Amino acid sequence: MGKQRYTSQIKEQKKPPQLEPNEAEVTNLSETEFRTLVIRMFKELREDIKKDVEIITNELRENIKKDVEIITNNQLELKNTITEIKNSLEGITSRLDEAEDRISDLEDKVAEITQTEQQKEKRIKNNEDGLRDLWDNIKRNNMRIIGIPEGEESKQGIQNIFEVIMSENFPNLMKETNIQVQEVQRVPTRINPNRSTPRHIIVKMAKLKDKERILKAARKRRRVTYKGTPIRLSNDFSTETLKARREWQEILKVMENKGLQPRLLYPARLSFKVDGEIKTFQEKNKLKVFITTKPALQEILKGLL
């Protein structure tokens, strides 16, 4: 009977499910929309479970409270005869046993829900990592040019900008290698008036090796320019990867200035050599714990972790 009340109350408080997109609509979703849909669905499921647990817990507390009130009233009424007291106690014991069983069942259900929630969070994390890796793989032949002023492409064509950069910085590479470019474009397509820096230019190379040669040459040269103005060349990653990599930038610069020769590995792992050993960290918290054993390194990174 109690279970029927729980089910009835849960059904009354649940909202009607929102219509979900069909398979064709999901296929047409953008990366951001798809991630938003997945996160929303899991969030709704999490909220439903939380509400169910709250309903069952409140019902159980109310029933126990009623049982205690009944016991108290019965004790006052059953003072006349030992038989009446004995019968009442037997009824109370039975109800308490039932309550204990229900509490035990509820504890088991809470433990099961907790475990399921952890598994869902792990699956969500794995799905997010999979989407990031897929998007990065799509962009693997792309290279970003950072620092070219807005409107420069209208003067001489966006394709010529890349050729000017190559001729100005890597003339030997242009002579030795037949570098082929598939596409060059600004991103995003619309100019944000509040943006203080020019939009990046994306160059899609026909061959991955060509991109790697150019970026290797840029790292070796250290200073790349366009018509004498410093610019930067970098890999083109997904938004999530770029965000994770930016979090290491300040630490990376400090380590470079101190001659620690740090490297940023894919997707966003900081690697550097200390005391003859190569250490790699994907999370700042772990690096923070590690440097407590290295006073010199702790002083270098003071205020950055």
Side-chain angles (χ1 to χ4, degrees):
M1 190 67 179
K3 293 183 178 179
Q4 292 178 354
R5 289 199 299 273
Y6 301 155
T7 305
S8 175
Q9 191 168 355
I10 291 172
K11 288 182 177 179
E12 289 176 1
Q13 295 199 13
K14 282 188 177 180
K15 298 180 180 178
Q18 299 180 5
L19 294 178
E20 301 295 345
N22 56 38
E23 183 176 352
E25 291 173 335
V26 171
T27 304
N28 293 328
L29 289 177
S30 67
E31 179 189 5
T32 301
E33 291 171 337
F34 178 74
R35 289 198 306 272
T36 302
L37 173 61
V38 172
I39 293 172
R40 178 176 63 78
M41 291 175 66
F42 279 109
K43 183 177 180 182
E44 291 176 354
L45 179 58
R46 184 183 303 164
E47 291 298 322
D48 287 344
I49 294 174
K50 183 178 179 182
K51 290 178 181 178
D52 291 349
V53 173
E54 289 177 352
I55 291 171
I56 295 173
T57 303
N58 292 336
E59 181 71 13
L60 182 59
R61 289 174 179 170
E62 190 65 25
N63 285 343
I64 293 175
K65 182 179 178 181
K66 291 179 179 179
D67 286 343
V68 172
E69 292 175 354
I70 292 173
I71 293 170
T72 302
N73 293 332
N74 285 343
Q75 285 178 336
L76 295 175
E77 296 173 1
L78 296 177
K79 288 181 179 181
N80 295 328
T81 62
I82 296 176
T83 303
E84 290 177 352
I85 293 174
K86 181 179 178 181
N87 293 336
S88 295
L89 287 175
E90 289 177 353
I92 292 170
T93 301
S94 177
R95 286 194 292 272
L96 288 174
D97 289 340
E98 182 182 351
E100 289 178 356
D101 291 339
R102 290 164 64 184
I103 291 173
S104 178
D105 292 340
L106 181 59
E107 289 175 344
D108 292 341
K109 186 172 182 179
V110 170
E112 182 181 348
I113 290 172
T114 301
Q115 183 179 5
T116 302
E117 193 71 16
Q118 292 173 345
Q119 292 173 347
K120 288 176 181 176
E121 290 177 356
K122 185 177 180 179
R123 285 198 297 269
I124 290 173
K125 179 63 168 56
N126 290 337
N127 289 337
E128 289 176 347
D129 291 344
L131 286 172
R132 180 203 62 203
D133 292 340
L134 176 61
W135 196 238
D136 286 338
N137 188 57
I138 293 173
K139 293 171 171 280
R140 66 198 305 260
N141 282 25
N142 293 1
M143 178 174 61
R144 284 180 179 255
I145 304 176
I146 305 168
I148 302 296
E150 292 285 352
E152 189 69 19
E153 60 270 29
S154 62
K155 299 177 183 178
Q156 59 181 21
I158 197 165
Q159 183 85 18
N160 291 333
I161 291 176
F162 175 74
E163 295 175 0
V164 170
I165 293 171
M166 294 299 296
S167 300
E168 185 174 332
N169 298 276
F170 317 110
N172 293 334
L173 189 60
M174 290 288 287
K175 294 176 182 178
E176 297 170 0
T177 309
N178 181 24
I179 295 177
Q180 299 179 8
V181 177
Q182 273 191 314
E183 184 181 3
V184 184
Q185 63 175 350
R186 285 271 192 186
V187 290
T189 55
R190 294 182 180 179
I191 299 177
N192 183 353
N194 298 321
R195 188 183 180 94
S196 59
T197 57
R199 294 171 296 160
H200 297 178
I201 292 178
I202 302 298
V203 180
K204 184 175 184 179
M205 312 300 297
K207 297 179 181 179
L208 176 62
K209 289 184 178 180
D210 288 344
K211 184 198 77 170
E212 292 175 343
R213 288 192 187 100
I214 295 171
L215 293 179
K216 183 178 179 180
R219 287 192 294 270
K220 185 176 181 181
R221 183 180 174 85
R222 300 184 70 85
R223 186 176 186 273
V224 182
T225 60
Y226 171 73
K227 295 182 179 181
T229 302
I231 62 171
R232 287 197 301 118
L233 304 181
S234 69
N235 277 298
D236 181 33
F237 293 114
S238 64
T239 303
E240 290 78 8
T241 301
L242 286 173
K243 182 179 178 181
R245 292 172 76 89
R246 287 193 194 103
E247 293 181 357
W248 290 110
Q249 289 305 313
E250 290 187 17
I251 295 175
L252 199 67
K253 289 179 181 178
V254 171
M255 286 187 167
E256 286 176 346
N257 293 335
K258 296 297 182 179
L260 296 177
Q261 299 179 339
R263 295 180 60 197
L264 200 54
L265 307 178
Y266 179 83
R269 292 178 294 128
L270 178 67
S271 175
F272 60 92
K273 194 172 184 179
V274 58
D275 296 338
E277 294 184 43
I278 296 177
K279 297 293 183 180
T280 303
F281 298 91
Q282 188 163 348
E283 299 176 4
K284 286 186 176 181
N285 288 337
K286 292 184 178 180
L287 175 60
K288 186 176 182 179
V289 173
F290 171 75
I291 65 175
T292 56
T293 64
K294 308 288 182 182
L297 187 58
Q298 190 173 22
E299 182 63 26
I300 290 173
L301 300 179
K302 187 177 181 180
L304 296 178
L305 292 171

